[in-house]
Amino acid sequence: MKIDFIELRHIRMRLVAPFETSFGVELDRDCVILILRGEGLTGWGECVAGMSPGYSYETTMTAWHVLTDFFVPAIVGSEIVTVEDLRDRLRVFKGHPLARAGLEMAFWDLLAQAAGKPLATALGGVRKTVPVGVSVGIQKDAELLVDTIGQFIDQGYDRIKIKIKPGRDVDDVQAVRRAFPDLKLQVDANSAYTIEDATSIEALDDYDLLLIEQPLAEDDLIDHSRLQARLKTAICLDESILSVRHARQAVEIDACRIINIKPGRVGGLSEAMAIHNLCLESNIPVWCGGMLETGIGRASNVAIASLPGFTLPGDISASDRYYVEDIADPPFVLNPDSTLDVPTKPGLGVEVLGDRLDRVTLRREAFRA
Ligand code: NPG
């Protein structure tokens, strides 16, 4: 397919509530939306790099630079037949997986539309609905945390993840466990600990958690392996896994027993599928992480979460958990069994609302063949 046109939009959307992690607080979500045109079709992608380099080194601005100066010029006007062709053209460039993944998502959407298939089917999905949970940011105190979680449970979420950091870990978990003894509960440290101060992580081992996510530094598989040997609870890696090679090495040395797959973090849906396949063969459960996506990225996450190895609930909550007004329609709505429906229309299966997109656009740039 010849890619005739590519447009980028830097957008900013106000979150319904501030989201606090061990690396900071977000009031607004910035990202780059990609629009690809070919054969009369329009494909949509979302690059999930945010405003600050808190989660990864990439930001909305670095993604904008790398996309406009390198990735997009390597694609626009070209005849691209498969996703592998697209990946080949970008192989000369190093890094920047979040930027890469946004472009790849838009191409996957184009290809799935051209084939008349929902993205989930094009990726090999097998589920009609996917199990989901909600990720709760750090709250002012444990009481407010318990209260906030209670509200999400009342809305129908049956799996909760809480963010932790040194000083806000064991007491928070203990309070939540006391209030909700049977809740499916997991924690995420976003690499806020070192092996030396991991005693509070060990103290979490007695709270029947589903998993402990990314306790140590992203480039430290060895210490994760040492820590896993001291825990009954499974360590789940997120930031450490940027490729199928990292996943294989982490599994080989028992640095984790569960993997969080975010297509953005690993450079796109194809690499995400490769990690899924490896984990399925190795009996490592996976689940789909979230980056506070708009309805565009959420549609892609729901599609990949329909693959057979995604057996744990994803951080893919309903649209109203994030934004008052999303840019894509229809919104994702929580089913009573804590699942979301997988879209059934061709491609991503959601429609982007032009007026709303215009209202949240800070900057745009178009490239023609
Ligand atoms: O529901 O999309 C969601 C948020 C899930 O906690 C979540 N994401 O570290 O995984 C993370 C965290 C995150 C959010 C990371 C925003 C980066 C940006």
Side-chain angles (χ1 to χ4, degrees):
M1 157 172 337
K2 179 152 177 276
I3 307 296
D4 311 310
F5 173 88
I6 301 184
E7 183 176 334
L8 268 66
R9 305 271 193 125
H10 175 176
I11 67 165
R12 175 169 298 160
M13 286 170 55
R14 175 54 46 118
L15 291 163
V16 291
F19 191 75
E20 181 169 348
T21 62
S22 63
F23 55 82
V25 188
E26 299 205 41
L27 298 172
D28 296 302
R29 184 69 183 141
D30 285 51
C31 68
V32 180
I33 299 298
L34 292 107
I35 309 164
L36 259 66
R37 296 220 172 96
E39 286 180 8
L41 299 168
T42 302
W44 294 87
E46 177 168 340
C47 161
V48 293
M51 268 316 270
S52 89
Y55 171 81
S56 94
Y57 63 84
E58 289 183 84
T59 66
T60 320
M61 296 305 186
T62 68
W64 189 273
H65 156 58
V66 168
L67 283 163
T68 57
D69 289 337
F70 302 102
F71 294 0
V72 168
I75 301 299
V76 73
S78 302
E79 180 66 35
I80 310 220
V81 181
T82 61
V83 177
E84 228 18 62
D85 288 348
L86 181 101
R87 281 159 62 90
D88 280 345
R89 281 176 183 267
L90 302 182
R91 242 179 265 284
V92 290
F93 306 115
K94 292 227 165 25
H96 301 277
L98 304 184
R100 213 174 276 266
L103 195 53
E104 199 194 289
M105 185 197 300
F107 188 64
W108 268 107
D109 183 24
L110 268 184
L111 281 188
Q113 287 182 48
K117 289 182 187 166
L119 178 62
T121 310
L123 297 173
V126 293
R127 281 178 239 281
K128 290 194 166 56
T129 62
V130 298
V132 301
V134 67
S135 170
V136 180
I138 295 169
Q139 306 292 310
K140 191 166 81 4
D141 53 36
E143 201 181 325
L144 190 59
L145 177 64
V146 168
D147 205 58
T148 307
I149 291 173
Q151 290 174 28
F152 284 121
I153 294 173
D154 290 348
Q155 288 171 28
Y157 291 102
D158 75 357
R159 185 285 259 158
I160 300 287
K161 153 167 145 180
I162 65 171
K163 295 287 188 179
I164 56 167
K165 65 179 183 181
R168 290 300 303 275
D169 40 38
V170 186
D171 292 351
D172 277 4
V173 169
Q174 191 176 49
V176 175
R177 238 323 149 237
R178 272 209 192 118
F180 310 106
D182 303 322
L183 177 66
K184 286 188 226 160
L185 179 65
Q186 61 193 60
V187 297
D188 183 5
N190 287 111
S191 68
Y193 297 81
T194 63
I195 191 83
E196 289 79 25
D197 68 8
T199 42
S200 42
I201 296 292
E202 287 179 65
L204 295 178
D205 213 14
D206 295 325
Y207 291 96
D208 193 23
L209 301 176
L210 286 176
L211 57 90
I212 298 174
E213 191 177 352
Q214 196 69 43
L216 311 178
E218 55 275 14
D219 60 355
D220 196 351
L221 287 187
I222 305 282
D223 280 349
H224 274 111
S225 166
R226 291 197 179 109
L227 185 59
Q228 179 66 86
R230 305 199 316 233
L231 296 171
K232 304 188 287 274
T233 315
I235 289 182
C236 168
L237 289 178
D238 172 8
E239 286 93 323
S240 291
I241 308 296
L242 301 181
S243 64
V244 67
R245 181 166 49 83
H246 290 167
R248 176 177 53 74
Q249 292 171 353
V251 170
E252 267 175 28
I253 66 168
D254 198 28
C256 65
R257 296 188 180 151
I258 295 175
I259 290 183
N260 163 338
I261 296 184
K262 287 179 183 160
R265 190 195 69 228
V266 304
L269 288 162
S270 295
E271 194 73 14
M273 283 162 72
I275 297 173
H276 160 271
N277 296 345
L278 170 103
C279 289
L280 199 56
E281 279 165 24
S282 321
N283 281 320
I284 297 286
V286 303
W287 54 285
C288 184
M291 300 280 283
L292 308 171
E293 284 86 351
T294 74
I296 298 173
R298 188 165 321 287
S300 170
N301 285 348
V302 168
I304 191 139
S306 72
L307 269 64
F310 284 80
T311 51
L312 293 170
D315 276 348
I316 325 173
S317 312
S319 306
D320 65 2
R321 184 260 180 280
Y322 306 95
Y323 304 105
V324 174
E325 245 190 16
D326 205 339
I327 53 171
D329 200 60
F332 287 90
V333 177
L334 190 70
N335 296 320
D337 61 349
S338 198
T339 62
L340 295 184
D341 292 341
V342 179
T344 51
K345 292 196 181 132
L348 288 170
V350 290
E351 187 199 342
V352 179
L353 303 167
D355 288 356
R356 289 196 188 165
L357 179 64
D358 287 346
R359 281 207 293 279
V360 294
T361 298
L362 301 179
R363 182 181 180 190
R364 58 199 282 187
E365 194 165 335
F367 299 77
R368 286 182 177 80

